[in-house]
Amino acid sequence: MTLTPEMLLIVCPLALLAGFIDAIAGGGGMISLPAYYLAGLPPALASGTNKLSAMMGTTLATVNFARAGKLAFKVGVPAAAGAFVASALGALLMVSLPPRVVQILVLACIPVAAVFTLRGRKRRAPPKERTLAATRLISLAIGLGVGFYDGLIGPGTGTFLILLFLQVFAMEEVRASGTAKLVNLASNVAALVSLICTGDVLYLLGLPAGLCAMLGAALGSRLTIRRGAGVVRAVMLVVLGLLLAKMLWDVLG
């Protein structure tokens, strides 16, 4: 597929915004993946290119959270292992589906993911002390389920992880966000490898978009570490509304 200046103008600013939002509250894929659709990429190529730029942004955010001591490794590592395997399988299944089916699936999941992102996130009271084996098993199950969704669909993965870590492990919110980045990174890498093997990555678009996502992730992760995770919901709602309206027009029209 030939890269055009219009593609860069559409994708790069939204990739920056997606990286910023994703570093704070997850859900950046709800902005970045539709952006690739708006730029004219078919679903498989859009997903692969999105995984490249998202992986670059998530890597930087993960490093920032780790440096700040905001990663729960005993939860994050097993979940990341499960997400790595399941995401690769989900990506391979996505490539085998008709493009129209994938686009409609993404369209259907965006509003659901948006609801989870925009709703208030309250932590539960600390659960009873679990054994290390139980913690690892639960974390692995979370990684398998959310990782498969990430490889197949994508948008909202980081938000679902944060919600699960808040509810299941009663994590502090910033630590839940940081741990989600580690799992999301593993999921992105696995899906990206699968989609590279199928030839579904547009590097000339994904790399500059990834640099923009890294800038957004740097700003968002620093803001989260310092002030918390609720500062971008209003902006996110506006962007989601515009993108969802455009996608509905494309699909129904």
Side-chain angles (χ1 to χ4, degrees):
M1 188 171 188
T2 303
L3 179 69
T4 66
E6 289 77 12
M7 290 180 179
L8 292 170
L9 289 174
I10 291 171
V11 170
C12 287
L14 291 174
L16 190 153
L17 179 61
F20 177 74
I21 290 173
D22 197 71
I24 295 174
M30 290 184 290
I31 293 173
S32 60
L33 183 56
Y36 287 106
Y37 286 158
L38 294 178
L41 274 66
L45 188 61
S47 182
T49 310
N50 181 57
K51 289 301 178 190
L52 173 60
S53 58
M55 183 270 296
M56 293 170 66
T58 305
T59 298
L60 185 57
T62 303
V63 170
N64 283 346
F65 279 109
R67 287 176 176 173
K70 297 298 182 180
L71 287 183
F73 287 100
K74 71 176 182 179
V75 171
V77 171
F84 186 89
V85 174
S87 180
L89 296 175
L92 291 174
L93 176 60
M94 183 271 299
V95 172
S96 69
L97 294 174
R100 182 77 167 182
V101 172
V102 176
Q103 191 171 24
I104 291 174
L105 282 173
V106 172
L107 179 64
C109 288
I110 285 176
V112 177
V115 168
F116 279 102
T117 300
L118 297 168
R119 65 181 293 188
R121 298 193 302 277
K122 296 181 179 180
R123 284 185 291 139
R124 293 175 53 191
K128 294 181 180 179
E129 191 69 24
R130 296 189 181 97
T131 64
L132 182 59
T135 297
R136 288 175 175 172
L137 185 61
I138 294 170
S139 302
L140 179 64
I142 289 173
L144 287 169
V146 179
F148 184 78
Y149 168 84
D150 189 33
L152 179 62
I153 304 296
T157 298
T159 302
F160 295 149
L161 286 168
I162 292 171
L163 287 168
L164 287 167
F165 292 152
L166 288 172
Q167 295 299 314
V168 176
F169 298 105
M171 286 186 185
E172 180 267 330
E173 190 169 74
V174 177
R175 185 175 294 274
S177 183
T179 307
K181 296 298 166 292
L182 176 63
V183 182
N184 211 352
L185 176 60
S187 178
N188 282 337
V189 169
L192 177 61
V193 170
S194 295
L195 292 166
I196 286 174
C197 292
T198 60
D200 289 305
V201 179
L202 184 59
Y203 296 97
L204 291 178
L205 180 58
L207 290 173
L211 294 176
C212 293
M214 291 177 72
L215 176 58
L219 297 172
S221 57
R222 289 174 184 174
L223 181 62
T224 304
I225 291 166
R226 293 175 183 175
R227 299 189 180 181
V231 293
V232 296
R233 289 178 183 170
V235 176
M236 191 173 181
L237 183 59
V238 173
V239 174
L240 282 171
L242 293 173
L243 290 173
L244 189 56
K246 179 61 169 66
M247 289 186 69
L248 279 170
W249 178 268
D250 289 343
V251 171
L252 300 179

